[in-house]
Amino acid sequence: MKKAETKSEIRRIVSSVKADGKSVGLVPTMGALHEGHLSLIERASSDCDFVVVSVFVNPTQFGPNEDLESYPRNLSEDLKRSEKAGADAVFAPSAGQMYPEPQKVWVDVEGPLTETLCGAARPGHFRGVATVCTKLFNIVQPDRAYFGQKDAQQLAVIRAAAAQLDMPLEIIGCPIVREESGLAMSSRNDYLSEDQRKQAGVLYKSLMLCRELFNSGQRDTSRLKSKIRETIQSCPSAEIDYIEIVRKDTFQPEENISAESLAAIAVRIGPARLIDNITLKP
Amino acid sequence: MKKAETKSEIRRIVSSVKADGKSVGLVPTMGALHEGHLSLIERASSDCDFVVVSVFVNPTQFGPNEDLESYPRNLSEDLKRSEKAGADAVFAPSAGQMYPEPQKVWVDVEGPLTETLCGAARPGHFRGVATVCTKLFNIVQPDRAYFGQKDAQQLAVIRAAAAQLDMPLEIIGCPIVREESGLAMSSRNDYLSEDQRKQAGVLYKSLMLCRELFNSGQRDTSRLKSKIRETIQSCPSAEIDYIEIVRKDTFQPEENISAESLAAIAVRIGPARLIDNITLKP
């Protein structure tokens, strides 16, 4: 497996691969790779001839009081796991490599897609995400890029940016990978104590109870959200950031579910802000 | 010469050219091609194996009270001139082809680069320019794209977007082509009567007198701007939109010229808003 720290190195690697007519997959990550990431690498590896994993904790998607400093970093372990999962190259640039001067150019996605859920809770977050992904796509020039469905809104924002800016690649969303408790895999799960990690199972449990209610015919989103809220509130250390049900295509909140929708939640447990979601299909 | 009206057609044409290992140049235009455009096509044709000219009057770069409706359109003439100048393909999409749904994703360039000169006079203009160019670059995937120095701020905005988003292409600026009177070639010159066209020579004349003063040692930009203003005001039908002297790298206005700078003007004559600029090198 190759390792590149600069744009020119990874460009050289990819262009020689492309000259051989091979397809290229990109798995953009912030490192601290867990089984969710590994499932993306494996999927990319089965779809594409050559797989690049990028490892970059992107400063422009963190707010001023967020966890940029403490975000887990472990490149040597990431390299081993990437290789084992089938990566052919890891691109691990420094912040100075990605942003050699103050960034003035941004990819902005407007509308409910970035104004609801995490967009409302984390102003500027999706601008940073869309911008760094655009940069990574332009540097690596993959045929396909892989993202996890856990970050459902991120996936939708990137799909919109790729579609409306006519980016020449395919965006592929992959299923959430969960711990035994149901807790969605996340690098931020590392922030949790063993006890908090157990308690964090309540997120998925609440979504499962919501789905059960939905499957029994309930379409009123305030009822469905109440079920989630009650369940999470049964866990004393959980602090709700948001509980929302939105149309999956537009991320517009709705009163009654009439189209494929997303029940999405953000909950703080101890030092970690955790997100999760399920799809509700009428 | 090939002609494409859809993204998929032009992508098919370019990808077969690239598969042969040929280099691709793009000349983005809004049509109504004049000798300025033709000089870009000729330059591209001498640099690249295959030249695509795009002809698209981009609605997102026009303000609500601007000349989107009346902007000159003459595709059959543009096709002939493109071919004669050395184009291998013309991409002439409809607005619906470029914007199949309301645009929500934008490339925003922040700072003096878009806040001064035409950025101040035409709010949203450079957002539209940067976005449509990003789309065209992603559709055509050229190795190089060619722009005229007449639209100096546009060129700087596109250079910044390409650099800071790591777009995999080279942006090439080409010299202004002028009519005999000194008037910079522009599709909007078509709006002028014969008499107005003669009077419009005052723009270049004012810049030449500014350069003369600069060459004699004057570095005070208010003095230099006064010279331009006096000259233009000698033409009764000319209405000044702005006269500005800015650093060429940052587009920041300055009091005294210490680095390579741009004297840039926008002047209305009759129905046309005309722009021009010269470089001042200390």
Side-chain angles (χ1 to χ4, degrees):
Chain A
M1 191 187 67
K2 300 192 172 180
K3 192 191 153 201
E5 288 179 353
T6 65
K7 298 174 197 174
S8 57
E9 281 173 273
I10 192 68
R11 280 188 160 135
R12 210 172 318 126
I13 292 168
V14 171
S15 84
S16 86
V17 165
K18 288 196 150 194
D20 291 344
K22 288 182 180 168
S23 63
V24 176
L26 172 67
V27 182
T29 80
M30 298 212 301
L33 302 185
H34 51 66
E35 287 175 47
H37 296 114
L38 303 184
S39 75
L40 301 178
I41 301 174
E42 285 158 12
R43 168 73 193 274
S45 182
S46 84
D47 287 357
C48 306
D49 299 321
F50 192 90
V51 175
V52 178
V53 175
S54 64
V55 174
F56 179 59
V57 182
N58 174 38
T60 68
Q61 71 190 67
F62 286 81
N65 298 314
E66 292 183 357
D67 56 346
L68 173 60
E69 294 300 313
S70 57
Y71 196 87
R73 288 163 173 87
N74 189 347
L75 185 57
S76 61
E77 191 57 38
D78 291 341
L79 290 170
K80 282 184 217 157
R81 292 186 189 183
S82 296
E83 182 158 24
K84 206 169 157 201
D88 299 287
V90 167
F91 175 46
S94 65
Q97 178 66 211
M98 287 297 283
Y99 299 105
E101 43 188 36
Q103 189 72 10
K104 304 264 189 202
V105 182
W106 302 98
V107 176
D108 282 309
V109 179
E110 293 182 333
L113 213 48
T114 52
E115 285 160 7
T116 58
L117 313 182
C118 288
R122 304 181 69 189
H125 171 65
F126 287 118
R127 159 180 260 209
V129 167
T131 301
V132 80
C133 286
T134 301
K135 285 166 71 71
L136 289 168
F137 297 162
N138 282 331
I139 294 165
V140 177
Q141 298 180 62
D143 300 286
R144 299 180 196 92
Y146 297 82
F147 295 88
Q149 177 63 30
K150 181 183 65 93
D151 299 284
Q153 195 172 11
Q154 166 176 283
L155 176 58
V157 166
I158 292 165
R159 269 194 210 289
Q164 290 215 329
L165 294 179
D166 296 299
M167 297 181 189
L169 83 170
E170 200 182 338
I171 304 297
I172 294 173
C174 299
I176 299 175
V177 179
R178 299 182 179 280
E179 301 188 359
E180 244 179 81
S181 67
L183 176 62
M185 296 271 180
S186 165
S187 304
R188 288 188 171 99
N189 293 351
D190 290 0
Y191 297 159
L192 301 171
S193 68
E194 202 178 328
D195 182 50
Q196 287 169 332
R197 203 148 180 147
K198 262 182 223 154
Q199 289 178 46
V202 76
L203 275 77
Y204 188 55
K205 186 177 159 204
S206 76
L207 292 173
M208 285 300 93
L209 291 173
C210 167
R211 174 173 281 159
E212 205 170 275
L213 192 56
F214 175 80
N215 286 343
S216 74
Q218 184 58 261
R219 293 293 177 268
D220 178 335
T221 57
S222 63
R223 296 292 182 89
L224 293 163
K225 290 194 283 185
S226 292
K227 171 60 76 180
I228 297 174
R229 181 168 297 107
E230 284 160 22
T231 312
I232 294 174
Q233 280 170 345
S234 73
C235 168
S237 63
E239 191 194 319
I240 295 166
D241 188 345
Y242 65 73
I243 295 170
E244 201 51 87
I245 298 180
V246 296
R247 277 181 66 118
K248 201 170 179 179
D249 51 357
T250 60
F251 274 70
Q252 200 93 50
E254 41 186 4
E255 283 180 24
N256 281 284
I257 296 180
S258 59
E260 196 173 357
S261 297
L262 214 62
I265 60 180
V267 176
R268 280 172 206 281
I269 293 189
R273 180 177 177 279
L274 305 171
I275 60 175
D276 201 349
N277 67 84
I278 53 167
T279 297
L280 300 172
K281 280 189 211 186
Chain B
M1 190 185 68
K2 301 192 171 181
K3 193 189 152 202
E5 288 180 352
T6 65
K7 299 175 197 173
S8 56
E9 281 173 272
I10 192 68
R11 280 187 159 137
R12 210 174 315 128
I13 292 168
V14 171
S15 84
S16 86
V17 165
K18 290 198 148 192
D20 291 343
K22 289 183 179 165
S23 63
V24 176
L26 173 66
V27 182
T29 81
M30 299 211 301
L33 302 186
H34 51 66
E35 287 175 45
H37 296 115
L38 303 184
S39 76
L40 301 177
I41 301 173
E42 285 158 11
R43 167 72 193 275
S45 182
S46 84
D47 287 358
C48 306
D49 300 321
F50 192 91
V51 175
V52 179
V53 175
S54 64
V55 174
F56 180 59
V57 182
N58 173 37
T60 68
Q61 71 190 69
F62 286 81
N65 298 315
E66 292 184 357
D67 57 346
L68 173 61
E69 294 299 314
S70 58
Y71 196 87
R73 290 163 171 88
N74 189 347
L75 185 58
S76 61
E77 193 57 39
D78 291 341
L79 290 169
K80 282 183 217 156
R81 292 187 188 182
S82 296
E83 181 158 25
K84 207 170 157 199
D88 299 287
V90 167
F91 174 47
S94 66
Q97 178 66 211
M98 287 298 283
Y99 299 106
E101 43 189 37
Q103 189 73 9
K104 305 266 189 200
V105 182
W106 301 99
V107 176
D108 281 309
V109 178
E110 291 182 335
L113 213 48
T114 51
E115 285 161 7
T116 58
L117 314 182
C118 287
R122 304 181 68 187
H125 171 64
F126 287 118
R127 160 180 260 209
V129 168
T131 301
V132 80
C133 286
T134 301
K135 286 167 69 74
L136 288 168
F137 297 163
N138 282 331
I139 293 164
V140 177
Q141 298 177 245
D143 300 287
R144 300 181 196 91
Y146 297 82
F147 295 88
Q149 176 65 29
K150 180 181 67 88
D151 299 284
Q153 194 171 11
Q154 166 176 283
L155 176 58
V157 166
I158 291 165
R159 270 195 209 287
Q164 289 215 330
L165 293 180
D166 296 298
M167 297 180 188
L169 84 169
E170 201 183 338
I171 304 297
I172 294 173
C174 299
I176 299 176
V177 178
R178 298 181 180 281
E179 300 188 0
E180 246 179 77
S181 67
L183 176 62
M185 296 271 181
S186 164
S187 304
R188 289 188 171 101
N189 294 351
D190 289 0
Y191 298 159
L192 301 170
S193 69
E194 205 178 326
D195 183 51
Q196 287 169 332
R197 203 149 179 148
K198 264 183 220 150
Q199 290 178 47
V202 75
L203 275 78
Y204 188 56
K205 186 178 160 205
S206 75
L207 293 173
M208 285 300 95
L209 291 171
C210 166
R211 174 174 282 159
E212 206 171 272
L213 192 57
F214 175 81
N215 286 344
S216 74
Q218 185 57 265
R219 293 294 178 266
D220 179 334
T221 56
S222 63
R223 297 291 183 90
L224 293 163
K225 291 194 283 185
S226 291
K227 172 60 79 181
I228 297 173
R229 181 169 296 107
E230 285 159 20
T231 312
I232 294 174
Q233 280 170 345
S234 73
C235 169
S237 63
E239 191 194 318
I240 294 167
D241 189 345
Y242 64 73
I243 295 171
E244 201 51 87
I245 298 181
V246 297
R247 279 181 64 120
K248 201 171 176 177
D249 51 357
T250 61
F251 274 69
Q252 200 94 49
E254 41 186 4
E255 283 180 24
N256 282 285
I257 296 179
S258 59
E260 195 171 0
S261 297
L262 213 61
I265 59 179
V267 176
R268 281 171 206 280
I269 293 189
R273 180 178 177 278
L274 305 171
I275 60 174
D276 202 348
N277 67 85
I278 53 166
T279 298
L280 300 172
K281 280 189 210 184

